[in-house]
Amino acid sequence: VLSVTLAPYGALDGEGGVIAVIHDITEQRRLDDARREFVANVSHELRTPLTNIRSYTETLLDAAGDIPIDTEKQFLGVISSESERMARIVTDLLTLSKLDYGRMELRMTRFPLGDMLKNVANAMKFTAEDSGHELTVDTPDDLPQIVGDRERIEQVVVNILSNAVKYTPAGGHVRLSARMAGANRVRITVEDDGVGIPAADVPRLFERFYRVDKARSREAGGTGLGLAIAKEIVEQHEGKIALASEYGKGTTVTITLPTDLIPNREEGPV
Ligand code: ADP
């Protein structure tokens, strides 16, 4: 897309002319479109639970006293879970906005990655087993310490592991592993043998609100922002995140992080 600006120069009655300046505004147009789409998505995502909350509340008010207590409880349950959903969306949006504006200060410390991964896996083990999944961890003992914001990196790993569990039917396997990838990079891998993702969707998964199966994501309590947040956090650590998948077979997410970023805090208790 090109835009042309005309600027006259010289004396009005004498020598002079017009300079045409041509700008390529393709990128600007693309950013405007992306911004508009994002605002439309946010509005839609918030309006759906809000509509539910409103109609259930109105029904309860209109029929006060006339509905069986069980039905009343069920309606209140919907109201409660829909407000939780709205709260999750807003929290995720605030996180993204802080990341966008560089206002999320990373608290960089040096910490043992292997311990962190094992802690995360232990914390998730019960949820995974409850839903009939087997979660295995494979990290070598000599995995190095890395420099990063421990809490944020934990948030990323928890998110990717929860996705693996969410999108894998009961009886499936989830595997968390980590290896050195070169002298000063480490690779964390989360593999599952779940539903997988059609090839056409894979390139768009890190976009905000992009979901392959909206109903399934909603049911599992997803906001569609998890991978977008993970990508921002990993990139702020000068790392990379990638997803490979085979539809119907399973998905593998790979996070590569440098081990030696410069810490801006006291060393962690290690
Ligand atoms: P959500 O909150 O919907 O899980 P995410 O941003 O975390 O949002 O993921 C975006 C979409 O990517 C999900 O809705 C799902 O369709 C797909 N996805 C993510 N991880 C997996 C996985 N391990 N297996 C299959 N699909 C996945």
Side-chain angles (χ1 to χ4, degrees):
V1 181
L2 300 176
S3 127
V4 183
T5 311
L6 298 176
Y9 70 95
L12 280 174
D13 54 348
E15 292 279 297
V18 173
I19 300 180
V21 184
I22 300 174
H23 307 269
D24 181 353
I25 57 165
T26 314
E27 179 61 13
Q28 186 59 42
R29 182 65 62 83
R30 203 184 58 75
L31 286 175
D32 284 350
D33 286 350
R35 189 178 48 80
R36 267 191 285 270
E37 191 187 330
F38 178 65
V39 173
N41 280 338
V42 171
S43 319
H44 177 76
E45 296 291 336
L46 290 174
R47 202 174 51 192
T48 313
L50 198 53
T51 306
N52 283 335
I53 291 173
R54 216 163 62 197
S55 45
Y56 280 93
T57 312
E58 276 166 13
T59 312
L60 280 173
L61 283 173
D62 287 349
D66 298 336
I67 330 179
I69 186 87
D70 282 354
T71 316
E72 210 170 88
K73 274 202 180 140
Q74 192 198 333
F75 284 12
L76 287 169
V78 174
I79 294 171
S80 162
S81 64
E82 290 294 79
S83 18
E84 270 165 25
R85 176 175 174 70
M86 289 186 77
R88 270 199 308 275
I89 297 174
V90 172
T91 305
D92 279 359
L93 283 171
L94 282 173
T95 304
L96 270 175
S97 143
K98 280 190 199 152
L99 286 162
D100 281 347
Y101 291 103
R103 278 187 284 117
M104 166 105 42
E105 195 198 342
L106 295 180
R107 300 165 60 89
M108 307 293 260
T109 59
R110 191 179 292 280
F111 64 91
L113 181 66
D115 283 9
M116 190 273 263
L117 293 176
K118 279 187 198 123
N119 288 345
V120 169
N122 279 336
M124 297 251 342
K125 227 176 172 90
F126 296 106
T127 339
E129 279 168 7
D130 267 357
S131 53
H133 296 86
E134 192 189 0
L135 173 60
T136 51
V137 188
D138 170 17
T139 53
D141 289 338
D142 59 352
L143 214 55
Q145 305 213 349
I146 72 163
V147 175
D149 185 324
R150 180 172 181 149
E151 213 175 301
R152 293 286 158 207
I153 295 176
E154 243 175 55
Q155 181 185 358
V156 171
V157 178
V158 167
N159 194 294
I160 303 300
L161 276 176
S162 327
N163 276 352
V165 172
K166 265 190 324 201
Y167 302 106
T168 299
H173 302 84
V174 174
R175 182 167 175 271
L176 168 66
S177 58
R179 291 283 182 277
M180 284 307 286
N184 43 23
R185 294 184 84 75
V186 66
R187 186 183 307 128
I188 305 167
T189 307
V190 176
E191 285 163 274
D192 67 62
D193 54 4
V195 297
I197 300 161
D201 291 302
V202 171
R204 300 198 56 190
L205 287 178
F206 291 95
E207 287 175 22
R208 296 166 188 200
F209 292 119
Y210 194 84
R211 280 162 295 185
V212 179
D213 180 345
K214 285 210 172 200
R216 188 177 189 122
S217 157
R218 268 182 70 88
E219 214 169 285
T223 60
L225 295 170
L227 283 180
I229 292 177
K231 181 169 193 274
E232 289 291 334
I233 293 174
V234 168
E235 285 179 353
Q236 291 205 358
H237 281 86
E238 292 169 33
K240 286 208 167 71
I241 181 164
L243 183 150
S245 188
E246 205 176 328
Y247 191 44
K249 290 250 168 73
T251 301
T252 302
V253 177
T254 318
I255 299 162
T256 316
L257 290 169
T259 51
D260 299 317
L261 281 178
I262 309 299
N264 63 4
R265 296 274 162 151
E266 293 290 294
E267 298 239 326
V270 287

